[in-house]
Amino acid sequence: MDQGHQGGQGRREKVATSLAAAVGERIGASLAPVDAELERRYPGDPGTRQPVHTVYVPGDVFAADTVRSWGDRALAALDEHAPDAASFAAVLGLSDDLAQPVYDRVRAKLEREPVEDIRIDFEDGYGPRPDDEEDETAARAARLVAEAYRDGTAPPYMGIRMKCMEAPVRDRGIRTLDVFLTGLMVAGGLPGGLVLTLPKVTYAEQVTAMVRLLEEFEKAHGLEPGRIGFEIQIETSQAVLAADGTATVARMIQAAEGRATGLHYGTFDYSACLGVSAAYQASDHPAADHAKAVMQVAAAGTGVRVSDGSTNVLPVGPTAKVHDAWRLHHGLTRRALARAYYQGWDMHPGHLPTRYAAVFAFYREGFEQAAARLVAYAARTGGDVMDEPATAKALSGYLLRGLDCGALDIAEVARATGFTRADLEGYAAPRRADLTVSPK
């Protein structure tokens, strides 16, 4: 018999067991394949920065100054329609304590890093063009992207959205991707922030085809296998629910063989696919909520991130109309954040002020509570909320996302928590076994 530790009543408890050690060993051996499968299929979040949005610009419109131009146009919109913190807060309903910090940070963001992720579009935003014209536009896009990374003007993430894998446009999409990637290689290699988007995916086999295509490109250039990843755009009902009633999107993630980086919801194509009237096509429609919930569950733990879609209501025209569009976009963005969709699409420079206002307010208003709960967890004091390792992971992830986008700065996080960024990253990426054990 094994003997236990000293009990609370001053006596030593006797611990008896009935199972031989070999029993546990056999159980462990029987579950070894499951353990390996869990690690392969559910590696967890990659721990890299996730942009708060993706900006879409047609291939023929994209230029060397596009990112700076978007920032300047967004600042001009603020100057014209909300020239100070009080007027901006009044439009969006921000509290008095958030008004000035959010406004100041929005302006600073638009001056320093107006766009976090940009997709040069060769699909719906570009349309069908003569082959020679699309070839030239794709080559030009590669040159401009390479130059942007070389001169330091690139946003954190850049790439293209090619045409889809459906038969009528498949060859054109493949060629555009080849021209673009080859142009980057000729210009010095693939940048670290490269992102590719595969649209209108309906069957998992189309994802497999993309994987084989990228494998061939990597072999042709001697690149490390798996170097090139891509996003899967969910724009059809078949991408969510297959003919046999299963979740196609889950099979798509596995078909990507570790290359999938994101699932992006396509608001308007998906809504139209379900027959939703144009006036009701929006990211808060029940059909949209269902699709994104399925995407979210399918992606959980896989390291694949989910992005919300966009609004087509543009903040242009007289001030009253701009304010209405700002309120709509701000509300949709806040709604998405509360549902753990930390990324969305922005289609116009006028959306940038409300994108960042919503994001910054989201992280700043919850900052003190999140910091206090994480400190209490680390000290095992609990406070008035008893958090578990999984919640500590969410709290630290919340603070890290706030730092990445500029809503928070490391000095104020350090003052509130005593933690470095490395400390936060440690809590955000615990071992799998830690997530099943509550703090003692």
Side-chain angles (χ1 to χ4, degrees), residues 228-401:
I228 310 173
F230 59 97
E231 301 166 337
I232 302 169
Q233 203 158 357
I234 306 301
E235 301 175 90
T236 67
S237 61
Q238 296 91 340
V240 174
L241 191 69
D244 62 1
T246 60
T248 315
V249 65
R251 294 207 301 274
M252 289 176 179
I253 291 173
Q254 296 309 310
E257 299 176 18
R259 292 178 185 265
T261 58
L263 301 175
H264 283 228
Y265 176 68
T267 305
F268 303 102
D269 281 290
Y270 187 85
S271 299
C273 181
L274 267 63
V276 178
S277 299
Y280 299 99
Q281 293 177 0
S283 62
D284 59 351
H285 189 280
D289 285 340
H290 172 262
K292 286 179 286 189
V294 174
M295 292 162 59
Q296 190 174 47
V297 173
T302 65
V304 178
R305 285 144 167 186
V306 175
S307 173
D308 198 1
S310 62
T311 175
N312 59 359
V313 179
L314 304 184
V316 296
T319 295
K321 186 177 179 182
V322 169
H323 285 181
D324 286 343
W326 272 354
R327 276 188 287 268
L328 173 65
H329 184 244
H330 180 266
L332 291 173
T333 303
R334 282 303 306 260
R335 184 180 188 274
L337 289 167
R339 286 158 174 75
Y341 308 132
Y342 299 115
Q343 185 175 354
W345 301 9
D346 287 327
M347 311 302 290
H348 188 274
H351 287 140
L352 298 185
T354 39
R355 169 69 60 181
Y356 292 126
V359 170
F360 293 170
F362 177 75
Y363 290 114
R364 293 203 65 79
E365 68 188 15
F367 163 53
E368 291 184 3
Q369 184 186 56
R373 286 177 65 179
L374 189 58
V375 169
Y377 171 84
R380 300 297 196 269
T381 58
D384 60 353
V385 178
M386 180 60 73
D387 287 319
E388 299 191 358
T391 305
K393 177 181 179 179
L395 291 167
S396 54
Y398 174 90
L399 296 176
L400 286 168
R401 286 191 295 272

Side-chain angles (χ1 to χ4, degrees), residues 53 77 84 111 191 216-217 227 257 277 310 330:
H53 68 171
D84 53 47
E111 292 167 357
E216 291 300 321
F217 187 89
R227 164 65 182 85
E257 299 176 18
S277 299
S310 62
H330 180 266

Side-chain angles (χ1 to χ4, degrees), residues 150-166:
R150 193 160 49 242
D151 64 24
T153 60
Y157 299 97
M158 297 184 80
I160 66 167
R161 177 170 70 169
M162 59 191 279
K163 289 178 172 63
C164 70
M165 285 290 181
E166 293 178 355

Side-chain angles (χ1 to χ4, degrees), residues 164 166-176:
C164 70
E166 293 178 355
V169 295
R170 182 184 303 140
D171 290 343
R172 181 62 260 178
I174 291 172
R175 181 171 175 83
T176 295

